[in-house]
Amino acid sequence: MTDIPVEPQGKPVSASRTTLSHIMTASDTNLLGTVHGGVIMKLVDDAAGAVAGRHSGGPAVTASMDEMAFLAPVRVGDLVHVRAQCNWTGRSSMEIGVRVLAERWNESTPATQVGSAYLVFTAVDAEGKPRQVPPVLPETEQDRRRNQEAQIRRTHRLARRRAITELRERRTAEGLDD
């Protein structure tokens, strides 16, 4: 009897969606008095990692981060909300979309979007080898749009990687290896 690989059962987007909230303090600031971009990026990676682990049912590592956009500065005293969800899945990889919102901790004004990012995570086993992830099941029209856009970003990431590899191989063949 042969072992037939079993396709993991899909998971809805809502099963792993998460929000991480954090009040920004003076220790988070740069020399301009606003919050370091790196502090925001760590929160983004933390929230995305939680989603990737939840969706895949185990450990997952950051493979790439792209399109990190800082739309407005974050200040000391801002309550930052980092919302993340799984937009797309491959065999062992997942694209996690993240939206960063900020609001004053002591005001009742609505939070405004201050950043966004897309990260790719790879699910790994105990030996650090890629493992299969369940397909993501979009639930809303917005989820379906995000899934389609994620597929476009994946195509662009792969094409960029392929073009860079080809350029490097060509330069090496021409003796221009640097």
Side-chain angles (χ1 to χ4, degrees):
M1 192 170 186
T2 61
D3 289 332
I4 299 170
V6 176
E7 178 76 18
Q9 186 175 357
K11 284 187 177 179
V13 171
S14 61
S16 58
R17 185 179 287 136
T18 193
T19 299
L20 180 140
S21 297
H22 188 78
I23 293 179
M24 297 293 111
T25 65
S27 65
D28 299 318
T29 61
N30 58 31
L31 296 174
L32 299 175
T34 57
V35 173
H36 277 288
V39 169
I40 300 299
M41 290 173 75
K42 173 144 181 17
L43 294 172
V44 164
D45 192 45
D46 287 346
V51 169
R54 284 178 169 186
H55 183 82
S56 69
V61 295
T62 310
S64 70
M65 173 187 268
D66 59 49
E67 297 188 38
M68 179 72 209
F70 296 100
L71 306 173
V74 176
R75 301 171 294 160
V76 169
D78 281 353
L79 178 57
V80 172
H81 307 286
V82 183
R83 296 183 181 160
Q85 73 173 49
C86 184
N87 291 334
W88 172 89
T89 54
R91 194 189 80 68
S92 62
S93 61
M94 302 157 276
E95 184 197 87
I96 312 299
V98 182
R99 179 171 290 183
V100 183
L101 304 152
E103 62 181 300
R104 295 305 293 167
W105 69 274
N106 60 347
E107 297 175 8
S108 59
T109 56
T112 59
Q113 185 174 353
V114 295
S116 65
Y118 299 102
L119 296 86
V120 177
F121 278 75
T122 301
V124 294
D125 62 19
E127 287 80 45
K129 303 277 192 255
R131 62 182 174 81
Q132 194 169 1
V133 299
V136 66
L137 305 174
E139 299 169 276
T140 67
E141 210 39 58
Q142 193 173 46
D143 291 342
R144 283 184 274 288
R145 176 188 54 79
R146 287 177 177 153
N147 182 272
Q148 291 169 337
E149 290 173 357
Q151 291 176 53
I152 292 168
R153 282 187 293 274
R154 179 176 187 273
T155 299
H156 286 268
R157 277 190 296 270
L158 294 175
R160 183 178 60 231
R161 182 184 308 155
R162 190 170 36 257
I164 290 170
T165 300
E166 290 170 3
L167 173 66
R168 289 180 179 172
E169 289 170 354
R170 193 168 54 249
R171 289 182 56 83
T172 299
E174 294 170 357
L176 300 172
D177 190 20
D178 34 48

